[in-house]
Amino acid sequence: GELYLPMARLAALNDRQRVAGERIFANERNACAGMMKSKDPAPLAGIGIKAFVYQVPWAKGVDVPTSQFAIHTWLHGLGLPVNDRVVRVADGRAAAAACLAFGALRDELPYGTDGMVIKLDDRRLYDRLGGTGHHPNWGIAYKFPPERRATQLLDVIVQVGKSGKLTPVAVLQPVLLAKTTVSRASLHNFRELERKDVRLGDTVLVEKAGEIIPQVVEVVLAKRPADARPVPRPTVCPSCGGAVTTAEIFIYCANPACPEQVRERLAHFCSRDAMDVQEFGPALVDQVVTHLGVASPADLFRLTAPQLAGLERMGDKSADNAVKALARAKGRGLARVLVGLALDGIGEKLAEDLASRHGSVAALITLGTRFHGDPDGAISALKGEGIGETTARTVLEQLADARLQHVLNDLVAVGVAMTHTGTVVQAITGVAGKTFVLTGTLPTLKRHEAEALIKAAGGSTSGAVSKKTGYVVAGAEAGSKLAKAQELGVTVLDEAGLLSLLGR
């Protein structure tokens, strides 16, 4: 399901915020999302956050209907909050018509919405259809056309990202868009800016991508003033004045020591999905770079409380909390460090896979060093772990770079744990490199426990059966995945067979 804050409740909340002299929430989405991050539920009492419940993702020993629409009716009968505008239709054309009809009523709803979800009604087909790590194949989101507003382009500034990418950003005459005031919007890249022929002084149409990120959609040419000026491509970095390079459609600052790059990299390193040092937000990162000369992730861990206490808006207690937060972050483990370094091609899943399979940063550096003398062998080793050739080459080129190796070794020197915090993979013949699909209920193992054992032995798991599947592990009430495995001739194991394969 999902949580939401009704519009009337937002208005009441903002009235209380004004009386108390607290900040006003711009819209229901931001208010609800922000409040749900609170670790203390007490202040949420009486706010009026509600929920819609949609489906049952897992059930054992409960007779759950096989139809998605029937589940909706069943949940309603149990007294759970459901959306009364759910409809069942015959085909795709009718589904599209239902979405359009619902969109026409958006302004009459007591809550905000940016789209609908279209689902296959027969849940028995869900296992067969499978999905990706991002989305299921049995459902799709239909997004309503975003609200557009015209406003004047006052200027274009250039931001420098953590990778050195130079991104043009539109400075706008403030305009109310999707219930928030927008004064800046993305122009994506200079090729896109030139394709749209965006010029300073133009009237432009702005919308929020996914109802969140403002972007310039097009120029209103009929309103172009005679003195509108083209936006030149940068020839030097606006932050450090260094040389720029072009790769594909992007322009980059070539100086890795560029102060703006350093700030962006360190802010990402401290972000929640990386090292999770929430005390080090962008404002504090900016100060330690500007005033304390911090230039690398390891430099953060060398900071002392007296140093931080001397910064603006940093008292003794705040400084002490920040240093303690850094100390806690030292134990996050190798995977979080890899995510924090924002290496090309390494997201959260691959970072976790590399850390669990190789165990330590020393092993990864050795792999990078091997790439110098035996690139094909090193690439083949990663391909054997289920990593594509292009990604494997990208990862190895970075691990072989002396500059990255210095950053990694420097983190070791300041006491950051550069080993895997979970179970290190110990490859077992017959499991390593194989893909397993689990279906049904196993006698003793929960699904996540079985998946953990498989991954610890060097295997991987998937939600869909294909010709590339190594094994299907079937328990009680196994469904269409078992039938698919038998159809394709994929080896089927029960729990005992899996444990035997794992040497248990």
Side-chain angles (χ1 to χ4, degrees), residues 49-106:
I49 293 174
K50 294 181 176 291
F52 286 131
V53 179
Y54 297 121
Q55 68 183 59
V56 179
W58 178 85
K60 183 177 180 180
V62 179
D63 187 17
V64 177
T66 58
S67 156
Q68 183 65 55
F69 190 78
I71 277 191
H72 176 268
T73 305
W74 179 70
L75 290 170
H76 180 63
L78 293 175
L80 290 165
V82 298
N83 192 307
D84 61 2
R85 294 180 180 271
V86 172
V87 296
R88 177 164 54 180
V89 296
D91 53 30
R93 186 181 297 277
C99 289
L100 292 173
F102 186 88
L105 302 174
R106 289 173 71 190

Side-chain angles (χ1 to χ4, degrees), residues 53-227:
V53 179
Y54 297 121
Q55 68 183 59
V56 179
W58 178 85
K60 183 177 180 180
V62 179
D63 187 17
V64 177
T66 58
S67 156
Q68 183 65 55
F69 190 78
I71 277 191
H72 176 268
T73 305
W74 179 70
L75 290 170
H76 180 63
L78 293 175
L80 290 165
V82 298
N83 192 307
D84 61 2
R85 294 180 180 271
V86 172
V87 296
R88 177 164 54 180
V89 296
D91 53 30
R93 186 181 297 277
C99 289
L100 292 173
F102 186 88
L105 302 174
R106 289 173 71 190
D107 292 340
E108 302 174 16
L109 298 173
Y111 49 83
T113 179
D114 65 351
M116 299 184 74
V117 176
I118 304 170
K119 297 176 184 175
L120 187 68
D121 193 38
D122 189 346
R123 294 177 60 253
R124 293 169 298 183
L125 298 175
Y126 285 13
D127 279 351
R128 181 175 171 187
L129 288 166
T132 70
H134 179 267
H135 62 271
N137 290 332
W138 43 261
I140 190 169
Y142 175 92
K143 294 293 185 180
F144 298 126
E147 177 185 13
R148 288 186 178 182
R149 287 284 184 268
T151 188
Q152 187 180 18
L153 176 67
L154 304 177
D155 195 8
V156 172
I157 60 174
V158 180
Q159 290 183 342
V160 185
K162 58 184 178 290
S163 65
K165 184 187 296 182
L166 305 187
T167 302
V169 176
V171 179
L172 306 167
Q173 184 70 38
V175 60
L176 187 64
L177 183 67
K179 301 180 183 179
T180 61
T181 300
V182 171
S183 58
R184 293 194 177 191
S186 174
L187 287 163
H188 302 295
N189 58 70
F190 282 91
R191 180 179 292 182
E192 183 70 3
L193 183 152
E194 291 159 0
R195 185 186 69 80
K196 293 175 179 173
D197 190 23
V198 176
R199 302 187 185 186
L200 299 175
D202 273 338
T203 295
V204 295
L205 295 180
V206 185
E207 69 179 30
K208 285 187 176 181
E211 299 277 325
I212 298 174
I213 302 172
Q215 61 180 353
V216 173
V217 180
E218 62 180 275
V219 175
V220 183
L221 292 175
K223 294 187 177 182
R224 169 166 285 170
D227 60 350

